[in-house]
Amino acid sequence: MKYDLLVIGAGPGGYVCAIRAAQLGLKTAVAERRETGGTCLNRGCIPAKTLLHSAELYRNVLNGAKFGITAENPKINVEKVFERKNEVSAKLREGINRLFKANKIDFYSASAKILGEGKALLSSDGEEEIIECKSIVIATGSAPALIPVEGADLDGVLTSDGLLQMNDRIPEKLVIIGGGVIGMEFAEAYSAFGSEVTIIEAMPEILPMMDKDISRNLSVIMKKRGVNIHTSASVNKIEKTDEGLCVHFSGKTGEKTAVCDTVLIAAGRKANTEGLFGEGVNILTERGRILTDENMMTNINNIYAIGDVTMGIQFAHAASAQGIFAAEHIAGKKSCTDLSVIPSCVYTSPEIASVGLTESEAKKKGISVKKGKFMMSANGRALINDDERGFVKVIFDSETGCLKGAQLMCSRATDMVGELAGAIANKMTAEQLLKAVKAHPTFSEAIAEAIEDSMGRAVHVAPKIR
């Protein structure tokens, strides 16, 4: 069989790439060795956020008295919580499969090995078939990375994949190794479900890649909810004891231990490239991840790579944007997407979102900036929701007046960041952003207030002392 394009991997990068290619008239095939939807839909974003939603509802029920609503003896139906998680993923998988059929995309449930430019070997249940194609897009994604620590292979020591598959119980005591996005989202969910959660993070702060105001505020909120956080800490070993799993680690004040029934290793992800390249196919990589040019093409003509398997930010929406970009390039179309502007999102409560430069990053680049910040404690909608310690911060270039970055920590932050990402991509100024009137009461009013603050004229911010 001959195709214009073979996409290897049907995750959020691969399936979106295939659909866009088919829309542009390319005869397209997809090879996927597991379920359609990839990690995000089956073992990542979607099931994790479904759990987070259930956890938030449970916390709201427990705290309902302050809103005048009480419920006697609320309980978690663990089976139903995880059943719903699986139902959501299944429904989205069915939707992708229907889209493949509607767009006349051939789907192969098979592993793929690239034999060279324009040729791949598909393998499934002992059967093999060679596919010829003009272009190939690698969208094989990533898997949880393990850590080289004694005891990491013990029963009860899990990655995010394993924890999401543990459908029969909520851990009584959970130790999370890693305070990044994955670690903090699981800490949010399981602490709300009632688990005693301990986080061990090697860097000086949780969410180390985020703005420091975000890291510090989230740390305060999590500790208030009973989460134990140890930063600047390294794990030495994990052992099985009569009390359960014992995690030995070195912290700021010396050697410590944390006893639990479950350990989550959330220490990053590694690219899925094992068995992907045939003999003589020398795709350039760095730290195990595929290198690409500005068009997402590898060092071999007509072989592209997108998403987590490449260098750069690891988010589903980044993979989807790259997939569309690559499909349009293959079809000879100019893409309108700016791949340098990708929001980062964390689905804790409150939500966290960041796009563009932080204040410290701008300083390192030698960019003079004007900063505006608005605390959500003065936002009517946030007060109605009884939200904690939120803010919106915006960073403008002092010379051009263009928005360079934004950081949000508030309800609906992951939705609102899209407006600011568009503003950065389109080089919009404060004046342009303020042309549209925000509805009241809304969380998005805080964006306008933060922009006004950068200009020294925010209405709901006390004048700065001169």
Side-chain angles (χ1 to χ4, degrees):
M1 185 72 73
K2 291 186 177 180
Y3 293 96
D4 294 315
L5 173 63
L6 170 65
V7 180
I8 304 174
Y15 87 77
V16 168
C17 176
I19 291 170
R20 178 52 56 89
Q23 289 173 341
L24 294 171
L26 301 181
K27 184 173 175 55
T28 304
V30 174
E32 169 58 61
R33 63 185 180 182
R34 299 182 71 172
E35 314 97 322
T36 52
T39 294
C40 175
L41 199 156
N42 300 286
R43 299 172 297 282
C45 318
I46 297 300
K49 276 53 170 182
T50 307
L51 284 185
L52 280 164
H53 184 67
S54 294
E56 184 178 19
L57 286 175
Y58 183 60
R59 180 185 283 123
N60 288 341
V61 170
L62 293 178
N63 296 331
K66 68 170 63 177
F67 301 99
I69 298 170
T70 56
E72 291 186 12
N73 195 27
K75 295 180 180 179
I76 300 171
N77 184 330
V78 176
E79 182 179 343
K80 186 63 180 176
V81 166
F82 286 94
E83 182 183 305
R84 184 172 184 276
K85 167 184 74 72
N86 297 333
E87 285 174 354
V88 171
S89 292
K91 190 171 292 187
L92 289 170
R93 274 198 307 273
E94 291 168 8
I96 294 170
N97 293 333
R98 286 196 297 269
L99 286 169
F100 281 163
K101 290 179 181 177
N103 286 281
K104 297 181 173 56
I105 296 167
D106 289 344
F107 179 78
Y108 294 86
S109 181
S111 298
K113 177 178 287 187
I114 299 172
L115 304 179
E117 184 180 345
K119 190 175 292 186
L121 176 68
L122 305 188
S123 305
S124 178
D125 298 327
E127 300 289 326
E128 294 185 340
E129 180 180 359
I130 290 179
I131 295 289
E132 293 185 13
C133 48
K134 294 178 182 177
S135 298
I136 296 173
V137 171
I138 301 167
T140 48
S142 64
L146 300 177
I147 54 175
V149 168
E150 179 185 342
D153 57 348
L154 289 170
D155 288 343
V157 181
L158 308 170
T159 64
S160 56
D161 285 7
L163 190 59
L164 285 170
Q165 291 167 4
M166 191 175 73
N167 296 339
D168 58 344
R169 68 181 180 89
I170 301 293
E172 184 178 335
K173 294 183 179 181
L174 173 65
V175 171
I176 299 175
I177 301 173
V181 175
I182 295 171
M184 296 316 300
E185 289 186 350
F186 278 108
E188 169 76 28
Y190 283 94
S191 64
F193 284 140
S195 300
E196 182 182 312
V197 177
T198 298
I199 295 169
I200 302 172
E201 167 57 45
M203 299 297 284
E205 294 176 323
I206 58 172
L207 297 181
M209 303 305 290
M210 290 277 185
D211 182 89
K212 290 187 182 299
D213 282 350
I214 288 173
S215 302
R216 291 166 184 164
N217 276 291
L218 184 62
S219 183
V220 170
I221 291 169
M222 285 293 188
K223 288 177 180 178
K224 184 179 175 182
R225 293 174 182 168
V227 176
N228 302 302
I229 298 176
H230 301 274
T231 54
S232 299
S234 57
V235 176
N236 302 320
K237 68 175 180 178
I238 306 168
E239 64 176 350
K240 193 86 170 178
T241 69
D242 291 339
E243 295 177 299
L245 293 168
C246 183
V247 182
H248 296 257
F249 63 98
S250 302
K252 297 174 183 176
T253 57
E255 301 293 318
K256 294 188 176 184
T257 60
V259 177
C260 61
D261 55 278
T262 306
V263 176
L264 169 63
I265 297 177
R269 299 181 67 83
K270 61 180 181 179
N272 286 326
T273 57
E274 187 176 351
L276 183 60
F277 307 121
E279 187 175 350
V281 180
N282 299 313
I283 298 280
L284 292 179
T285 62
E286 184 177 318
R287 299 195 303 276
R289 296 166 71 181
I290 297 173
L291 296 173
T292 62
D293 64 13
E294 68 278 6
N295 296 314
M296 308 310 300
M297 191 187 293
T298 70
N299 59 298
I300 298 180
N301 280 339
N302 300 317
I303 298 181
Y304 296 72
I306 60 172
D308 284 10
V309 78
T310 66
M311 302 295 290
I313 196 167
Q314 292 186 312
F315 282 110
H317 50 275
S320 295
Q322 291 167 0
I324 290 173
F325 192 98
E328 290 173 344
H329 187 265
I330 291 166
K333 305 290 184 182
K334 183 174 175 59
S335 180
C336 64
T337 304
D338 184 348
L339 295 178
S340 69
V341 184
I342 304 290
S344 297
C345 298
V346 190
Y347 291 81
T348 48
S349 180
E351 292 183 351
I352 293 164
S354 179
V355 65
L357 298 177
T358 63
E359 190 177 1
S360 60
E361 287 170 342
K363 187 176 180 180
K364 287 178 183 177
K365 290 178 177 288
I367 300 172
S368 174
V369 298
K370 292 191 297 181
K371 177 183 74 174
K373 188 175 182 180
F374 184 72
M375 304 303 296
M376 297 303 289
S377 56
N379 176 269
R381 187 67 189 277
L383 286 173
I384 292 168
N385 274 34
D386 195 38
D387 289 347
E388 298 180 83
R389 298 182 69 91
F391 66 89
V392 172
K393 185 192 293 186
V394 289
I395 309 294
F396 288 93
D397 188 314
S398 297
E399 292 185 9
T400 66
C402 296
L403 183 67
K404 300 296 290 185
Q407 295 80 45
L408 302 85
M409 187 173 186
C410 58
S411 293
R412 305 292 182 266
T414 59
D415 293 309
M416 293 194 297
V417 74
E419 172 187 342
L420 296 165
I424 294 171
N426 287 290
K427 297 179 171 55
M428 293 179 69
T429 64
E431 288 81 3
Q432 290 171 324
L433 280 163
L434 289 172
K435 282 187 176 182
V437 176
K438 304 289 186 187
H440 174 78
T442 60
F443 297 110
S444 64
E445 287 178 281
I447 293 176
E449 291 277 8
I451 296 169
E452 293 273 18
D453 186 55
S454 74
M455 305 167 77
R457 64 186 203 198
V459 171
H460 294 97
V461 175
K464 291 180 174 62
I465 298 174
R466 300 185 183 277

